[in-house]
Amino acid sequence: MSSRFAKQWKSIIYYSGKIIFAFSFTLIVPLITAAIFSEWNMFFSFLLAISISLIISFASEGLFKTEKELNWLNGMLVVVITWAVVNSISAIPCFQSGFYGSYLDAFFDSMSGYTTTGLTLIQDLDHSPYSLLMWRHFMQYIGGQGIIVLALTFLSRSLRGAIKTYIGEAKDERLWPNIKSTALSIWRIANMYLLVGTLIISGFLISIGVKPVKAILHGIWIMMASWSTGGFAPSSLSLLAYHNFLLEIAVVVFMFLGSMNFAVHFLAWKGKIQELFKNIEVRTFAFYFLLTFAISLVGLISSNTYSTSLTRFRFSLLQISSAVTTTGFSNIPTQVMFGTWNELAILGVSLAMALGASACSTAGGIKAIRIALDLKGIYHEVRRIINPESSIIYTYYHHIRQQAITDNQVKMAGLITLSYIALYFIGALVGIYYGYPFIASLYESISATANVGLSSGITSPSMPALLKVVFILQMWLGRLEFTALLALFGYLLIILRRR
Amino acid sequence: MRFNTIVVFILLLFLLATSQAFASDNLNDILSKPAENDGKTFSLEGEVVGVAVKSGSGYFIQLNQDPYSKRSIAEGGKLQGQNLAIPVFLSKELYKKIRYFGDYHVKGDIVEIEGVFNASCEEHNGDTDIHANQLKVVKKGYPLKQVVGPVNAGISLFLFLVALLLAFFVRQRQ
């Protein structure tokens, strides 16, 4: 038994090391940025992080080399371990920059980055190094596509059982039969959008007087955060720093593109535009986007917050789009929003955050496909009740192809929906325990779990350490959609019982 | 002589009584009651940071009023909380007075502004801002110099060397 246990851990550590090796190359991007802008302290901090990740990966290769293929449980554990180690290493340059109050704060931001949440504990953001800003946004860009997806583009041949790690990171769509081709396609699409989006946003910024170097940097950062539905911004004013409605429209478009299911996106990319109109996930998402948009708009009209319809439309559009795509950008200071928007408008934003966007995308939240399956499941049950017992009932839906709903699909969708809702309230309870108001606590808890990043003002360096830990776990569980972390807890439970 | 001294003394007293030290309003207080403060005139002191953007006949700048506007972390300032900022709309004439915009490499100009707070500015599509009618540069900004920490650099280079050696041994073994 112990030999089997040792063999399992050998393969888990070995394959985790492989992924950490691929990750170490991502640190070259901020390293080069630091060199270009002569930020030498940051340069050595990134070099330190590269060295640590290389030492871990070479040591795991030297000590634990194996040819054994990963099974399902081990695949899940590789995902959890890789995420923990990558986040821990990524937080080192953040902490060494001096812009974080503690290593926990730096770890909070790296988790927020990789989970594409956007909540932040950085201090003095407006004076932070360009290389640190590049790293924060690049973490979101990697996290949006997936740390495992990144590793699979380099390592699928040496990573035996790669598909299990891919699924463990809450991705279950294959664009191609081959997992490496799928990973490459995801990155190809993302990089293409990054290039086009950066040109568009930088162009806007230059046209409103921003100097070219800063315009390009801000263009890259805003685009990385938009496409990855991340929400980090290079300015403490977020999108309000640019005062440009057209730029906001461009950002909204990229947020929606990033929040679309990779498989649906891929079909549309290949010319099958009709998939967009037939797909149940897209249709459900469009329905509740319009619903939450209408709720927030009615809230703003009834509270008389803005004087013109265009202004109401602008603010409602950006907050709801940012919430439903789980990005977290804002064009209004938090205090002003909570001081001028009524509860109905805030409810619209909260609901949009909780529901989230598409599965197998860069976004978080419960996700449209689960909401669709929950509703279809109810419809299916009602049909079963009203029809004779002997009749066989099929309920169909279209997602990539026409398929009949199964009990297992409905059960899984219901289970994960309930898990999200439970986690929203658990986080809110911890907030209430620390004396924060209920609405603000629930808003912040939903934002963390659904990987959004909009804040009611609770997330700050001075908040209790335990609340920081709770938000970190919420972001992590929300991003991995419970499966991988629950597998770890189950595994630990088995070990404890055997003892 | 004594008469002159008395005159100077009286003049000094007069100046002291009539002059007011610049009392900056608190940005946090303004933002925490947006509806109440909408349309009121405030005086603020803070650092100009980030990017300036053109808007119609004027420019928007970002004014920070937080501990870091006095001394940023890049200058060795202490960690004391998050940023607190507001967009300020300036005429072209006022904008021209600003030279340094703060970031990691630069200490921005410290300015005093007086202007009207808008929770939702009708002129600027509903943006929260302050329309400044006066601006005075209190302290000019300057480029910041960085000192490389030798310990950090030494440890990084040493561990990088260890990583290279480890890579060599692992490849040799294979």
Side-chain angles (χ1 to χ4, degrees), chain A residues 156-189:
Chain A
S156 72
R157 208 173 289 171
S158 53
L159 198 67
R160 290 164 189 270
I163 182 68
K164 288 132 193 170
T165 57
Y166 178 71
I167 290 170
E169 206 178 35
K171 304 259 188 306
D172 51 7
E173 307 275 12
R174 287 207 211 183
L175 311 183
W176 301 99
N178 180 317
I179 198 70
K180 180 167 182 159
S181 305
T182 298
L184 276 171
S185 287
I186 289 173
W187 279 104
R188 212 169 284 145
I189 293 171

PDB file of all heavy atoms in Angstrom, chain A residues 156-189:
ATOM      1  N   SER A 156       2.725  18.521 -23.681  1.00  0.00           N
ATOM      2  CA  SER A 156       1.704  17.464 -23.703  1.00  0.00           C
ATOM      3  C   SER A 156       2.301  16.071 -23.930  1.00  0.00           C
ATOM      4  O   SER A 156       1.807  15.083 -23.423  1.00  0.00           O
ATOM      5  CB  SER A 156       0.638  17.758 -24.733  1.00  0.00           C
ATOM      6  OG  SER A 156       1.153  17.582 -26.007  1.00  0.00           O
ATOM      7  N   ARG A 157       3.430  16.006 -24.668  1.00  0.00           N
ATOM      8  CA  ARG A 157       4.004  14.686 -24.946  1.00  0.00           C
ATOM      9  C   ARG A 157       4.617  14.082 -23.673  1.00  0.00           C
ATOM     10  O   ARG A 157       4.505  12.903 -23.406  1.00  0.00           O
ATOM     11  CB  ARG A 157       5.057  14.794 -26.063  1.00  0.00           C
ATOM     12  CG  ARG A 157       5.183  13.507 -26.842  1.00  0.00           C
ATOM     13  CD  ARG A 157       6.097  13.675 -28.032  1.00  0.00           C
ATOM     14  NE  ARG A 157       5.504  14.496 -29.085  1.00  0.00           N
ATOM     15  CZ  ARG A 157       6.174  14.925 -30.137  1.00  0.00           C
ATOM     16  NH1 ARG A 157       7.442  14.656 -30.286  1.00  0.00           N
ATOM     17  NH2 ARG A 157       5.579  15.640 -31.072  1.00  0.00           N
ATOM     18  N   SER A 158       5.283  14.952 -22.878  1.00  0.00           N
ATOM     19  CA  SER A 158       5.921  14.410 -21.674  1.00  0.00           C
ATOM     20  C   SER A 158       4.978  14.378 -20.479  1.00  0.00           C
ATOM     21  O   SER A 158       5.318  13.855 -19.429  1.00  0.00           O
ATOM     22  CB  SER A 158       7.162  15.240 -21.322  1.00  0.00           C
ATOM     23  OG  SER A 158       6.810  16.592 -21.244  1.00  0.00           O
ATOM     24  N   LEU A 159       3.792  14.960 -20.647  1.00  0.00           N
ATOM     25  CA  LEU A 159       2.820  14.956 -19.547  1.00  0.00           C
ATOM     26  C   LEU A 159       1.793  13.864 -19.815  1.00  0.00           C
ATOM     27  O   LEU A 159       0.798  14.094 -20.500  1.00  0.00           O
ATOM     28  CB  LEU A 159       2.149  16.336 -19.470  1.00  0.00           C
ATOM     29  CG  LEU A 159       1.430  16.698 -18.182  1.00  0.00           C
ATOM     30  CD1 LEU A 159       2.408  16.850 -17.029  1.00  0.00           C
ATOM     31  CD2 LEU A 159       0.689  18.006 -18.348  1.00  0.00           C
ATOM     32  N   ARG A 160       2.050  12.690 -19.298  1.00  0.00           N
ATOM     33  CA  ARG A 160       1.165  11.551 -19.571  1.00  0.00           C
ATOM     34  C   ARG A 160      -0.122  11.688 -18.763  1.00  0.00           C
ATOM     35  O   ARG A 160      -0.073  11.847 -17.563  1.00  0.00           O
ATOM     36  CB  ARG A 160       1.873  10.239 -19.235  1.00  0.00           C
ATOM     37  CG  ARG A 160       2.985   9.928 -20.204  1.00  0.00           C
ATOM     38  CD  ARG A 160       3.908   8.867 -19.645  1.00  0.00           C
ATOM     39  NE  ARG A 160       5.063   8.747 -20.496  1.00  0.00           N
ATOM     40  CZ  ARG A 160       5.152   7.927 -21.540  1.00  0.00           C
ATOM     41  NH1 ARG A 160       4.132   7.166 -21.852  1.00  0.00           N
ATOM     42  NH2 ARG A 160       6.237   7.881 -22.266  1.00  0.00           N
ATOM     43  N   GLY A 161      -1.243  11.645 -19.472  1.00  0.00           N
ATOM     44  CA  GLY A 161      -2.532  11.854 -18.811  1.00  0.00           C
ATOM     45  C   GLY A 161      -2.874  13.326 -18.767  1.00  0.00           C
ATOM     46  O   GLY A 161      -3.513  13.798 -17.822  1.00  0.00           O
ATOM     47  N   ALA A 162      -2.427  14.071 -19.799  1.00  0.00           N
ATOM     48  CA  ALA A 162      -2.581  15.528 -19.832  1.00  0.00           C
ATOM     49  C   ALA A 162      -4.034  15.967 -19.743  1.00  0.00           C
ATOM     50  O   ALA A 162      -4.350  16.958 -19.089  1.00  0.00           O
ATOM     51  CB  ALA A 162      -1.952  16.069 -21.111  1.00  0.00           C
ATOM     52  N   ILE A 163      -4.934  15.193 -20.360  1.00  0.00           N
ATOM     53  CA  ILE A 163      -6.346  15.572 -20.404  1.00  0.00           C
ATOM     54  C   ILE A 163      -6.928  15.705 -18.991  1.00  0.00           C
ATOM     55  O   ILE A 163      -7.786  16.546 -18.742  1.00  0.00           O
ATOM     56  CB  ILE A 163      -7.157  14.543 -21.255  1.00  0.00           C
ATOM     57  CG1 ILE A 163      -8.638  14.944 -21.367  1.00  0.00           C
ATOM     58  CG2 ILE A 163      -7.070  13.137 -20.709  1.00  0.00           C
ATOM     59  CD1 ILE A 163      -8.907  16.162 -22.167  1.00  0.00           C
ATOM     60  N   LYS A 164      -6.416  14.917 -18.041  1.00  0.00           N
ATOM     61  CA  LYS A 164      -6.956  14.968 -16.671  1.00  0.00           C
ATOM     62  C   LYS A 164      -6.604  16.294 -16.001  1.00  0.00           C
ATOM     63  O   LYS A 164      -7.391  16.830 -15.221  1.00  0.00           O
ATOM     64  CB  LYS A 164      -6.431  13.789 -15.842  1.00  0.00           C
ATOM     65  CG  LYS A 164      -7.061  12.467 -16.257  1.00  0.00           C
ATOM     66  CD  LYS A 164      -6.049  11.379 -16.448  1.00  0.00           C
ATOM     67  CE  LYS A 164      -6.635  10.181 -17.157  1.00  0.00           C
ATOM     68  NZ  LYS A 164      -5.625   9.202 -17.560  1.00  0.00           N
ATOM     69  N   THR A 165      -5.430  16.795 -16.295  1.00  0.00           N
ATOM     70  CA  THR A 165      -5.062  18.093 -15.717  1.00  0.00           C
ATOM     71  C   THR A 165      -5.845  19.210 -16.397  1.00  0.00           C
ATOM     72  O   THR A 165      -6.231  20.185 -15.764  1.00  0.00           O
ATOM     73  CB  THR A 165      -3.553  18.361 -15.869  1.00  0.00           C
ATOM     74  OG1 THR A 165      -3.208  18.283 -17.251  1.00  0.00           O
ATOM     75  CG2 THR A 165      -2.735  17.370 -15.079  1.00  0.00           C
ATOM     76  N   TYR A 166      -6.085  19.058 -17.696  1.00  0.00           N
ATOM     77  CA  TYR A 166      -6.856  20.056 -18.466  1.00  0.00           C
ATOM     78  C   TYR A 166      -8.253  20.178 -17.868  1.00  0.00           C
ATOM     79  O   TYR A 166      -8.755  21.282 -17.629  1.00  0.00           O
ATOM     80  CB  TYR A 166      -6.916  19.585 -19.920  1.00  0.00           C
ATOM     81  CG  TYR A 166      -7.719  20.462 -20.871  1.00  0.00           C
ATOM     82  CD1 TYR A 166      -7.239  21.710 -21.258  1.00  0.00           C
ATOM     83  CD2 TYR A 166      -8.922  20.024 -21.403  1.00  0.00           C
ATOM     84  CE1 TYR A 166      -7.953  22.499 -22.154  1.00  0.00           C
ATOM     85  CE2 TYR A 166      -9.642  20.801 -22.298  1.00  0.00           C
ATOM     86  CZ  TYR A 166      -9.151  22.028 -22.675  1.00  0.00           C
ATOM     87  OH  TYR A 166      -9.863  22.811 -23.553  1.00  0.00           O
ATOM     88  N   ILE A 167      -8.903  19.044 -17.584  1.00  0.00           N
ATOM     89  CA  ILE A 167     -10.250  19.047 -17.017  1.00  0.00           C
ATOM     90  C   ILE A 167     -10.229  19.543 -15.567  1.00  0.00           C
ATOM     91  O   ILE A 167     -11.132  20.241 -15.126  1.00  0.00           O
ATOM     92  CB  ILE A 167     -10.893  17.641 -17.150  1.00  0.00           C
ATOM     93  CG1 ILE A 167     -11.200  17.386 -18.624  1.00  0.00           C
ATOM     94  CG2 ILE A 167     -12.165  17.511 -16.303  1.00  0.00           C
ATOM     95  CD1 ILE A 167     -11.614  15.980 -18.968  1.00  0.00           C
ATOM     96  N   GLY A 168      -9.157  19.204 -14.869  1.00  0.00           N
ATOM     97  CA  GLY A 168      -9.018  19.656 -13.478  1.00  0.00           C
ATOM     98  C   GLY A 168      -9.003  21.160 -13.345  1.00  0.00           C
ATOM     99  O   GLY A 168      -9.327  21.709 -12.307  1.00  0.00           O
ATOM    100  N   GLU A 169      -8.615  21.855 -14.423  1.00  0.00           N
ATOM    101  CA  GLU A 169      -8.596  23.322 -14.394  1.00  0.00           C
ATOM    102  C   GLU A 169      -9.912  23.879 -14.922  1.00  0.00           C
ATOM    103  O   GLU A 169      -9.948  25.018 -15.443  1.00  0.00           O
ATOM    104  CB  GLU A 169      -7.405  23.842 -15.208  1.00  0.00           C
ATOM    105  CG  GLU A 169      -6.937  25.205 -14.764  1.00  0.00           C
ATOM    106  CD  GLU A 169      -5.726  25.686 -15.558  1.00  0.00           C
ATOM    107  OE1 GLU A 169      -5.632  25.393 -16.767  1.00  0.00           O
ATOM    108  OE2 GLU A 169      -4.872  26.341 -14.961  1.00  0.00           O
ATOM    109  N   ALA A 170     -10.980  23.119 -14.810  1.00  0.00           N
ATOM    110  CA  ALA A 170     -12.328  23.550 -15.193  1.00  0.00           C
ATOM    111  C   ALA A 170     -12.455  23.834 -16.685  1.00  0.00           C
ATOM    112  O   ALA A 170     -13.171  24.725 -17.108  1.00  0.00           O
ATOM    113  CB  ALA A 170     -12.756  24.764 -14.380  1.00  0.00           C
ATOM    114  N   LYS A 171     -11.727  23.086 -17.498  1.00  0.00           N
ATOM    115  CA  LYS A 171     -11.903  23.187 -18.949  1.00  0.00           C
ATOM    116  C   LYS A 171     -12.332  21.789 -19.425  1.00  0.00           C
ATOM    117  O   LYS A 171     -11.681  20.809 -19.103  1.00  0.00           O
ATOM    118  CB  LYS A 171     -10.580  23.563 -19.640  1.00  0.00           C
ATOM    119  CG  LYS A 171      -9.947  24.841 -19.125  1.00  0.00           C
ATOM    120  CD  LYS A 171     -10.223  25.968 -20.078  1.00  0.00           C
ATOM    121  CE  LYS A 171      -9.480  27.246 -19.768  1.00  0.00           C
ATOM    122  NZ  LYS A 171      -9.608  27.786 -18.439  1.00  0.00           N
ATOM    123  N   ASP A 172     -13.423  21.745 -20.173  1.00  0.00           N
ATOM    124  CA  ASP A 172     -13.838  20.419 -20.629  1.00  0.00           C
ATOM    125  C   ASP A 172     -14.168  20.371 -22.117  1.00  0.00           C
ATOM    126  O   ASP A 172     -14.644  19.373 -22.612  1.00  0.00           O
ATOM    127  CB  ASP A 172     -15.017  19.901 -19.797  1.00  0.00           C
ATOM    128  CG  ASP A 172     -16.143  20.912 -19.710  1.00  0.00           C
ATOM    129  OD1 ASP A 172     -16.044  21.934 -20.410  1.00  0.00           O
ATOM    130  OD2 ASP A 172     -17.094  20.690 -18.950  1.00  0.00           O
ATOM    131  N   GLU A 173     -13.930  21.478 -22.830  1.00  0.00           N
ATOM    132  CA  GLU A 173     -14.197  21.469 -24.265  1.00  0.00           C
ATOM    133  C   GLU A 173     -12.901  21.184 -25.018  1.00  0.00           C
ATOM    134  O   GLU A 173     -11.860  21.740 -24.677  1.00  0.00           O
ATOM    135  CB  GLU A 173     -14.734  22.842 -24.728  1.00  0.00           C
ATOM    136  CG  GLU A 173     -15.924  23.334 -23.931  1.00  0.00           C
ATOM    137  CD  GLU A 173     -17.235  22.782 -24.441  1.00  0.00           C
ATOM    138  OE1 GLU A 173     -17.215  21.833 -25.263  1.00  0.00           O
ATOM    139  OE2 GLU A 173     -18.274  23.291 -24.008  1.00  0.00           O
ATOM    140  N   ARG A 174     -12.998  20.361 -26.039  1.00  0.00           N
ATOM    141  CA  ARG A 174     -11.838  20.125 -26.894  1.00  0.00           C
ATOM    142  C   ARG A 174     -12.108  20.747 -28.264  1.00  0.00           C
ATOM    143  O   ARG A 174     -13.123  20.455 -28.887  1.00  0.00           O
ATOM    144  CB  ARG A 174     -11.610  18.635 -27.077  1.00  0.00           C
ATOM    145  CG  ARG A 174     -11.060  17.975 -25.856  1.00  0.00           C
ATOM    146  CD  ARG A 174     -10.280  16.786 -26.304  1.00  0.00           C
ATOM    147  NE  ARG A 174     -10.303  15.725 -25.319  1.00  0.00           N
ATOM    148  CZ  ARG A 174      -9.621  14.597 -25.483  1.00  0.00           C
ATOM    149  NH1 ARG A 174      -8.930  14.379 -26.581  1.00  0.00           N
ATOM    150  NH2 ARG A 174      -9.655  13.667 -24.581  1.00  0.00           N
ATOM    151  N   LEU A 175     -11.203  21.615 -28.708  1.00  0.00           N
ATOM    152  CA  LEU A 175     -11.371  22.219 -30.028  1.00  0.00           C
ATOM    153  C   LEU A 175     -10.896  21.235 -31.100  1.00  0.00           C
ATOM    154  O   LEU A 175     -11.370  21.247 -32.223  1.00  0.00           O
ATOM    155  CB  LEU A 175     -10.585  23.531 -30.121  1.00  0.00           C
ATOM    156  CG  LEU A 175     -10.778  24.526 -28.958  1.00  0.00           C
ATOM    157  CD1 LEU A 175     -10.001  25.806 -29.215  1.00  0.00           C
ATOM    158  CD2 LEU A 175     -12.242  24.839 -28.745  1.00  0.00           C
ATOM    159  N   TRP A 176      -9.916  20.430 -30.728  1.00  0.00           N
ATOM    160  CA  TRP A 176      -9.365  19.394 -31.604  1.00  0.00           C
ATOM    161  C   TRP A 176      -9.290  18.093 -30.810  1.00  0.00           C
ATOM    162  O   TRP A 176      -9.223  18.141 -29.580  1.00  0.00           O
ATOM    163  CB  TRP A 176      -7.942  19.770 -32.075  1.00  0.00           C
ATOM    164  CG  TRP A 176      -7.864  21.053 -32.815  1.00  0.00           C
ATOM    165  CD1 TRP A 176      -7.477  22.260 -32.310  1.00  0.00           C
ATOM    166  CD2 TRP A 176      -8.190  21.297 -34.185  1.00  0.00           C
ATOM    167  NE1 TRP A 176      -7.528  23.237 -33.271  1.00  0.00           N
ATOM    168  CE2 TRP A 176      -7.967  22.671 -34.446  1.00  0.00           C
ATOM    169  CE3 TRP A 176      -8.643  20.489 -35.234  1.00  0.00           C
ATOM    170  CZ2 TRP A 176      -8.182  23.246 -35.679  1.00  0.00           C
ATOM    171  CZ3 TRP A 176      -8.857  21.067 -36.477  1.00  0.00           C
ATOM    172  CH2 TRP A 176      -8.633  22.427 -36.692  1.00  0.00           C
ATOM    173  N   PRO A 177      -9.258  16.925 -31.475  1.00  0.00           N
ATOM    174  CA  PRO A 177      -9.120  15.669 -30.723  1.00  0.00           C
ATOM    175  C   PRO A 177      -7.839  15.655 -29.891  1.00  0.00           C
ATOM    176  O   PRO A 177      -7.804  15.123 -28.795  1.00  0.00           O
ATOM    177  CB  PRO A 177      -9.081  14.588 -31.813  1.00  0.00           C
ATOM    178  CG  PRO A 177      -9.666  15.228 -33.031  1.00  0.00           C
ATOM    179  CD  PRO A 177      -9.412  16.693 -32.914  1.00  0.00           C
ATOM    180  N   ASN A 178      -6.786  16.272 -30.412  1.00  0.00           N
ATOM    181  CA  ASN A 178      -5.504  16.300 -29.726  1.00  0.00           C
ATOM    182  C   ASN A 178      -5.487  17.444 -28.706  1.00  0.00           C
ATOM    183  O   ASN A 178      -5.831  18.577 -29.036  1.00  0.00           O
ATOM    184  CB  ASN A 178      -4.432  16.516 -30.812  1.00  0.00           C
ATOM    185  CG  ASN A 178      -3.052  16.577 -30.239  1.00  0.00           C
ATOM    186  OD1 ASN A 178      -2.822  17.202 -29.228  1.00  0.00           O
ATOM    187  ND2 ASN A 178      -2.133  15.915 -30.921  1.00  0.00           N
ATOM    188  N   ILE A 179      -5.074  17.148 -27.480  1.00  0.00           N
ATOM    189  CA  ILE A 179      -5.120  18.147 -26.407  1.00  0.00           C
ATOM    190  C   ILE A 179      -4.101  19.273 -26.636  1.00  0.00           C
ATOM    191  O   ILE A 179      -4.346  20.431 -26.311  1.00  0.00           O
ATOM    192  CB  ILE A 179      -4.935  17.469 -25.020  1.00  0.00           C
ATOM    193  CG1 ILE A 179      -5.419  18.392 -23.915  1.00  0.00           C
ATOM    194  CG2 ILE A 179      -3.531  17.019 -24.757  1.00  0.00           C
ATOM    195  CD1 ILE A 179      -6.881  18.572 -23.869  1.00  0.00           C
ATOM    196  N   LYS A 180      -2.952  18.916 -27.231  1.00  0.00           N
ATOM    197  CA  LYS A 180      -1.939  19.944 -27.493  1.00  0.00           C
ATOM    198  C   LYS A 180      -2.454  20.940 -28.536  1.00  0.00           C
ATOM    199  O   LYS A 180      -2.265  22.146 -28.412  1.00  0.00           O
ATOM    200  CB  LYS A 180      -0.633  19.290 -27.980  1.00  0.00           C
ATOM    201  CG  LYS A 180       0.436  20.328 -28.264  1.00  0.00           C
ATOM    202  CD  LYS A 180       1.786  19.712 -28.441  1.00  0.00           C
ATOM    203  CE  LYS A 180       2.827  20.829 -28.670  1.00  0.00           C
ATOM    204  NZ  LYS A 180       4.167  20.416 -28.386  1.00  0.00           N
ATOM    205  N   SER A 181      -3.123  20.421 -29.580  1.00  0.00           N
ATOM    206  CA  SER A 181      -3.675  21.305 -30.614  1.00  0.00           C
ATOM    207  C   SER A 181      -4.748  22.203 -30.019  1.00  0.00           C
ATOM    208  O   SER A 181      -4.864  23.380 -30.380  1.00  0.00           O
ATOM    209  CB  SER A 181      -4.287  20.488 -31.753  1.00  0.00           C
ATOM    210  OG  SER A 181      -3.335  19.599 -32.247  1.00  0.00           O
ATOM    211  N   THR A 182      -5.542  21.651 -29.088  1.00  0.00           N
ATOM    212  CA  THR A 182      -6.566  22.454 -28.419  1.00  0.00           C
ATOM    213  C   THR A 182      -5.913  23.600 -27.653  1.00  0.00           C
ATOM    214  O   THR A 182      -6.317  24.763 -27.777  1.00  0.00           O
ATOM    215  CB  THR A 182      -7.387  21.566 -27.446  1.00  0.00           C
ATOM    216  OG1 THR A 182      -8.032  20.554 -28.210  1.00  0.00           O
ATOM    217  CG2 THR A 182      -8.416  22.363 -26.692  1.00  0.00           C
ATOM    218  N   ALA A 183      -4.884  23.265 -26.874  1.00  0.00           N
ATOM    219  CA  ALA A 183      -4.186  24.286 -26.082  1.00  0.00           C
ATOM    220  C   ALA A 183      -3.566  25.341 -26.987  1.00  0.00           C
ATOM    221  O   ALA A 183      -3.660  26.550 -26.722  1.00  0.00           O
ATOM    222  CB  ALA A 183      -3.113  23.622 -25.219  1.00  0.00           C
ATOM    223  N   LEU A 184      -2.969  24.886 -28.093  1.00  0.00           N
ATOM    224  CA  LEU A 184      -2.341  25.834 -29.027  1.00  0.00           C
ATOM    225  C   LEU A 184      -3.380  26.760 -29.656  1.00  0.00           C
ATOM    226  O   LEU A 184      -3.134  27.963 -29.815  1.00  0.00           O
ATOM    227  CB  LEU A 184      -1.598  25.067 -30.133  1.00  0.00           C
ATOM    228  CG  LEU A 184      -0.184  24.613 -29.781  1.00  0.00           C
ATOM    229  CD1 LEU A 184       0.355  23.683 -30.863  1.00  0.00           C
ATOM    230  CD2 LEU A 184       0.758  25.808 -29.615  1.00  0.00           C
ATOM    231  N   SER A 185      -4.562  26.198 -29.991  1.00  0.00           N
ATOM    232  CA  SER A 185      -5.616  27.025 -30.592  1.00  0.00           C
ATOM    233  C   SER A 185      -6.105  28.084 -29.614  1.00  0.00           C
ATOM    234  O   SER A 185      -6.348  29.229 -29.999  1.00  0.00           O
ATOM    235  CB  SER A 185      -6.799  26.159 -31.022  1.00  0.00           C
ATOM    236  OG  SER A 185      -6.451  25.436 -32.159  1.00  0.00           O
ATOM    237  N   ILE A 186      -6.251  27.689 -28.344  1.00  0.00           N
ATOM    238  CA  ILE A 186      -6.682  28.658 -27.320  1.00  0.00           C
ATOM    239  C   ILE A 186      -5.687  29.821 -27.257  1.00  0.00           C
ATOM    240  O   ILE A 186      -6.069  30.992 -27.268  1.00  0.00           O
ATOM    241  CB  ILE A 186      -6.825  27.964 -25.935  1.00  0.00           C
ATOM    242  CG1 ILE A 186      -8.046  27.030 -25.962  1.00  0.00           C
ATOM    243  CG2 ILE A 186      -6.952  28.984 -24.810  1.00  0.00           C
ATOM    244  CD1 ILE A 186      -8.209  26.166 -24.717  1.00  0.00           C
ATOM    245  N   TRP A 187      -4.404  29.501 -27.241  1.00  0.00           N
ATOM    246  CA  TRP A 187      -3.383  30.556 -27.162  1.00  0.00           C
ATOM    247  C   TRP A 187      -3.304  31.383 -28.443  1.00  0.00           C
ATOM    248  O   TRP A 187      -3.061  32.588 -28.402  1.00  0.00           O
ATOM    249  CB  TRP A 187      -2.013  29.952 -26.815  1.00  0.00           C
ATOM    250  CG  TRP A 187      -1.923  29.725 -25.349  1.00  0.00           C
ATOM    251  CD1 TRP A 187      -2.030  28.538 -24.698  1.00  0.00           C
ATOM    252  CD2 TRP A 187      -1.803  30.714 -24.324  1.00  0.00           C
ATOM    253  NE1 TRP A 187      -1.962  28.728 -23.342  1.00  0.00           N
ATOM    254  CE2 TRP A 187      -1.822  30.049 -23.085  1.00  0.00           C
ATOM    255  CE3 TRP A 187      -1.678  32.105 -24.334  1.00  0.00           C
ATOM    256  CZ2 TRP A 187      -1.721  30.730 -21.868  1.00  0.00           C
ATOM    257  CZ3 TRP A 187      -1.576  32.770 -23.120  1.00  0.00           C
ATOM    258  CH2 TRP A 187      -1.597  32.097 -21.920  1.00  0.00           C
ATOM    259  N   ARG A 188      -3.505  30.720 -29.589  1.00  0.00           N
ATOM    260  CA  ARG A 188      -3.460  31.444 -30.866  1.00  0.00           C
ATOM    261  C   ARG A 188      -4.563  32.500 -30.917  1.00  0.00           C
ATOM    262  O   ARG A 188      -4.333  33.641 -31.281  1.00  0.00           O
ATOM    263  CB  ARG A 188      -3.618  30.429 -32.015  1.00  0.00           C
ATOM    264  CG  ARG A 188      -2.861  30.847 -33.257  1.00  0.00           C
ATOM    265  CD  ARG A 188      -2.834  29.699 -34.253  1.00  0.00           C
ATOM    266  NE  ARG A 188      -1.886  28.671 -33.895  1.00  0.00           N
ATOM    267  CZ  ARG A 188      -2.056  27.363 -34.109  1.00  0.00           C
ATOM    268  NH1 ARG A 188      -3.170  26.919 -34.652  1.00  0.00           N
ATOM    269  NH2 ARG A 188      -1.126  26.507 -33.789  1.00  0.00           N
ATOM    270  N   ILE A 189      -5.776  32.088 -30.515  1.00  0.00           N
ATOM    271  CA  ILE A 189      -6.909  33.023 -30.522  1.00  0.00           C
ATOM    272  C   ILE A 189      -6.633  34.171 -29.539  1.00  0.00           C
ATOM    273  O   ILE A 189      -6.807  35.345 -29.859  1.00  0.00           O
ATOM    274  CB  ILE A 189      -8.229  32.286 -30.145  1.00  0.00           C
ATOM    275  CG1 ILE A 189      -8.598  31.279 -31.236  1.00  0.00           C
ATOM    276  CG2 ILE A 189      -9.366  33.278 -29.926  1.00  0.00           C
ATOM    277  CD1 ILE A 189      -9.764  30.347 -30.863  1.00  0.00           C
TER     278      ILE A 189
END
